[in-house]
Amino acid sequence: MPKIILLFSGKRKSGKDFLTDHLQKVLNDKCEIIKISHPIKSYWAKENNLNLDELLSASKYKEQYRLDMLKWSDEMRGKDYGCFCRAACQNAADNTVWIVSDIRRKTDMKWFKENYGPLLKTIRITADEETRKERGFDFQAGIDDVASECDLDDYTDWDLVIDNGRNRQKLEDQIDSILALLTYGI
Ligand SMILES: Nc1ncnc2c1ncn2[C@@H]1O[C@H](COP(=O)(O)OP(=O)(O)O)[C@@H](O)[C@H]1O
Ligand SMILES: C[C@@](O)(CCOP(=O)(O)OP(=O)(O)O)CC(=O)O
């Protein structure tokens, strides 16, 4: 079992990868980053002969395949809503902090609550649209108005909400607010 699980949610280009990568640098080998999208991208890369590293990066490359990955993964979730959460957590190390950088759907939340309820802390990252646009966000129907991006918009029970937009605090203060959630001795 992990020591504690930090579940991060936020719209694209809000800065989920940016903040969780920095958190990982601070926590070092005491933590592990888990991406629910990793098994999706691995499958997609293998099936279609694509570059997995590019799919995993913040590049434009992944945007070309986002809609297809989204459609395929939603079909899979229809059969088993926990399939990617389970696959993503499968090889994660015991006794560390798990940083799940991309919960998107109520069913992701449900799966983690059912399997690891008492260990969870939930964090929502927000950023104003202008800042997200500066980072490369460009609204696309079928992506930005569906569950993948919107399902947790009406979730209000976050343990922490971090503004990572124009009015954001300094990075170290943002990270400190996350570290304050780690009440377990790590
Ligand atoms: N606080 C920040 N300061 C500077 N650059 C940031 C910040 N947050 C995010 N970025 C940059 O914005 C881009 C999108 O961030 P990313 O973490 O990939 O977003 P997401 O994972 O939510 O789609 C990246 O190039 C990232 O480096
Ligand atoms: C098909 C996806 O898994 C692709 C997700 O890729 P990323 O998690 O890399 O996206 P952002 O960080 O928001 O830019 C989306 C889904 O709904 O599962």
Side-chain angles (χ1 to χ4, degrees), residues 141-182:
I143 289 177
D144 294 295
D145 53 358
V146 301
S148 172
E149 287 293 308
C150 304
D151 205 26
L152 292 175
D153 284 358
D154 61 356
Y155 187 86
T156 52
D157 207 13
W158 304 105
D159 291 305
L160 176 67
V161 178
I162 298 180
D163 182 352
N164 189 38
R166 198 189 306 125
N167 299 319
R168 65 184 177 273
Q169 293 179 295
K170 284 193 306 210
L171 178 58
E172 58 193 71
D173 293 338
Q174 291 175 314
I175 297 292
D176 279 350
S177 67
I178 301 168
L179 294 177
L181 294 174
L182 304 177

Side-chain angles (χ1 to χ4, degrees), residues 20-147:
T20 52
D21 284 350
H22 276 275
L23 180 63
Q24 185 183 35
K25 281 187 194 133
V26 174
L27 290 174
N28 244 312
D29 56 355
K30 298 188 191 96
C31 76
E32 180 146 354
I33 293 203
I34 293 173
K35 293 183 191 296
I36 299 171
S37 61
H38 200 142
I40 300 172
K41 292 174 180 177
S42 296
Y43 174 87
W44 210 252
K46 211 188 292 170
E47 283 300 297
N48 300 290
N49 225 354
L50 304 178
N51 183 327
L52 179 58
D53 289 336
E54 281 287 308
L55 284 183
L56 291 170
S57 78
S59 68
K60 287 221 160 132
Y61 185 83
K62 88 170 161 197
E63 303 303 336
Q64 295 173 40
Y65 303 100
R66 187 186 289 262
L67 188 58
D68 287 337
M69 291 194 291
L70 202 166
K71 284 183 184 160
W72 171 78
S73 64
D74 271 346
E75 255 176 62
M76 298 295 286
R77 286 184 186 93
K79 294 176 212 157
D80 172 7
Y81 66 84
C83 61
F84 299 116
C85 297
R86 194 180 308 111
C89 293
Q90 215 160 36
N91 298 315
D94 280 336
N95 216 23
T96 55
V97 177
W98 291 3
I99 301 170
V100 181
S101 70
D102 60 345
I103 62 158
R104 296 172 172 277
R105 294 166 171 81
K106 290 192 177 71
T107 50
D108 297 337
M109 195 71 96
K110 178 172 151 74
W111 187 86
F112 276 98
K113 279 187 177 161
E114 283 167 355
N115 288 279
Y116 299 103
L119 300 180
L120 303 181
K121 297 285 179 193
T122 58
I123 300 132
R124 176 75 161 181
I125 301 173
T126 64
D128 55 281
E129 196 165 310
E130 204 180 296
T131 303
R132 292 172 59 219
K133 278 186 179 152
E134 282 163 16
R135 294 174 184 159
F137 166 70
D138 174 28
F139 181 91
Q140 267 181 273
I143 289 177
D144 294 295
D145 53 358
V146 301

